[in-house]
Amino acid sequence: MLAKLFGSSGVRGLVNFDLTPVLACKVATAVATHAKAKRAVVAKDTRVSGDMIEAALVAGLTACGTEVLLAGQIPTPVCAYATKTFGADVGFMLTASHNPPQYNGIKVFNNNALSYTDADQESVEKIVAENQPSLADWRALGSTVQVDATQAYMDMAQKAVTLKKHWHVVVDPGCGAAFSVAPTLLKTLGCKVTALNAQPDGHFPARKSEPNAETLQYLSKTVKALGADIGIAFDGDADRVAFIDENGAFVNFDRSLAAYGALALKRNGGGIVVTNVEASMCVETMAEKFGGKVVRTRIGDIYVSEAIERDGAVFGGEPCGAWVHPKQHLCPDGPLSAALFLAALEETGKTVSEFVGEAPEYITIRENFVCKNSAKYQVVEKLGVTLKEAFAGYTDFSTVDGVRLALKNGWLLVRASGTEPLIRLTVEGESEAAAKDITQKATALIEAQTR
Ligand code: MG
């Protein structure tokens, strides 16, 4: 039995160890077979291995008779959007997102800019395992052509956002895929743009590609030193965005998600916002102000996008900066989110810190418990029963991803780690006392099951 190829964000691994050109070629032929693909978009982030994986992918696709549109180094959302606008059957983004430079991966999109679902992935994995791709007759092999995928994306973004103020923005693509699109878009919208780390470099020499308070220290300092309005940063493939406020402080992902979600609901006069099981309950607090409802999914942006489409939600995202704007398309989109965030500030007349300051800040506690891989899923299932008994006043119980109980003064989530022999507990409380109380009670129950 072949190991599972697809993780929560496509095929990903260490280059020439997990992810080899041979594997990339197999994935390409299997996807082309599954999608009966006549046309495919192929794009990449700035990683050193991008050319190699691209060449292998193109060999597989053309072998199946697929016409390949080569879009070059662009962000993941631009690739997803191009798949839709170019009328391709499938889109491939070569990226390992926020992982270190020695990693690469393959994200696959359907013709609606939606990431491959579990069902699609299973079908592709089966074709790879059985080694049964549909190869074309030599007279029907595919060809390649270079395309400019950015123009249609820019048009879409400019239609979505108009800014009156000349915002001073410090933008930091971290030498990743947004190096051109993000500064260009912000300039086009009339911003005064100072760009850091905006040269494409697959070694990611300037900072780690995961945007967080620690990796964005230089951006924070620059925003403060220049007296800029905002700092904007992306991960390696720019499906995520992170903000620095006008004082140079890193903006908490949960609070920006909650504040933006609330505005989306206000504009719409209510509706649904989608987020995952791990996001702060400040998303609910803010949504309820505008008569909105929050739907929670498993962790993974594909599940958020699927739920948005299914429920007709106005907005959705994960608290890592992956935001989905369904009016435009269904792929998490860093540059578009940045532009829409500026429009939100303009609409509300607030600074970054004032806008996100509307969302309450709760207390989060995380604990790990050692538990054998062979037992961890069963233990979590059992804990569902005991936790319900122990927290009898719970207001909601969900097994969409692990076990999640919403309580009057907080919530708790118990999940088996996907990769390690661990059970993870996440607790959020209205106050520190509440968070500690919930953690203590849950810890005793988990320890009794894992001892
Ligand atoms: Mg990413």
Side-chain angles (χ1 to χ4, degrees), residues 167-422:
W167 295 86
H168 185 184
V169 176
V170 186
V171 61
D172 176 2
C175 303
F179 71 94
S180 169
V181 165
T184 307
L185 173 62
L186 293 165
K187 270 182 212 165
T188 311
L189 293 172
C191 297
K192 178 185 170 189
V193 177
T194 305
L196 305 176
N197 311 320
Q199 73 283 12
D201 189 331
H203 296 94
F204 301 143
R207 64 165 171 87
K208 287 183 180 160
S209 60
E210 172 146 29
N212 56 39
E214 194 191 322
T215 58
L216 301 181
Q217 283 179 19
Y218 189 68
L219 176 62
S220 292
K221 278 183 199 156
T222 310
V223 168
K224 210 172 171 189
L226 298 181
D229 297 306
I230 186 171
I232 296 172
F234 305 96
D235 70 333
D237 65 326
D239 59 347
R240 297 186 187 181
V241 67
F243 301 113
I244 302 292
D245 75 15
E246 72 282 4
N247 306 311
F250 180 81
V251 174
N252 175 284
F253 281 123
D254 290 281
R255 295 175 89 194
S256 55
L257 181 77
Y260 191 83
L263 180 65
L265 289 167
K266 189 182 173 191
R267 285 173 181 155
N268 193 54
I272 289 172
V273 163
V274 178
T275 191
N276 71 28
V277 288
E278 227 177 16
S280 165
M281 62 185 177
C282 70
V283 180
E284 272 94 355
T285 313
M286 291 298 287
E288 280 157 15
K289 280 190 185 176
F290 301 100
K293 207 185 136 215
V294 177
V295 169
R296 287 187 180 254
T297 67
R298 288 175 65 184
I299 294 169
D301 60 62
I302 173 61
Y303 304 114
V304 172
S305 294
E306 275 185 318
I308 288 174
E309 195 183 36
R310 182 192 67 212
D311 297 342
V314 294
F315 171 69
E318 295 195 289
C320 59
W323 291 9
V324 179
H325 308 279
K327 265 191 197 162
Q328 278 70 42
H329 60 89
L330 288 169
C331 177
D333 190 331
L336 179 66
S337 296
L340 286 167
F341 191 74
L342 289 172
L345 298 179
E346 208 164 280
E347 183 180 332
T348 55
K350 292 188 168 121
T351 64
V352 179
S353 68
E354 288 166 355
F355 183 73
V356 299
E358 300 266 303
E361 198 167 13
Y362 297 125
I363 308 296
T364 305
I365 299 176
R366 290 189 173 86
E367 303 277 1
N368 290 332
F369 303 86
V370 175
C371 183
K372 276 190 202 147
N373 278 329
S374 56
K376 63 188 180 185
Y377 293 101
Q378 233 176 345
V379 168
V380 170
E381 209 181 309
K382 271 193 209 158
L383 279 166
V385 180
T386 46
L387 286 165
K388 268 205 286 193
E389 284 166 10
F391 293 91
Y394 66 88
T395 55
D396 187 49
F397 174 75
S398 159
T399 53
V400 70
D401 197 345
V403 168
R404 189 180 187 278
L405 264 85
L407 311 167
K408 288 196 179 75
N409 58 351
W411 55 268
L412 68 95
L413 172 71
V414 180
R415 292 175 77 232
S417 161
T419 49
E420 292 171 86
L422 291 176

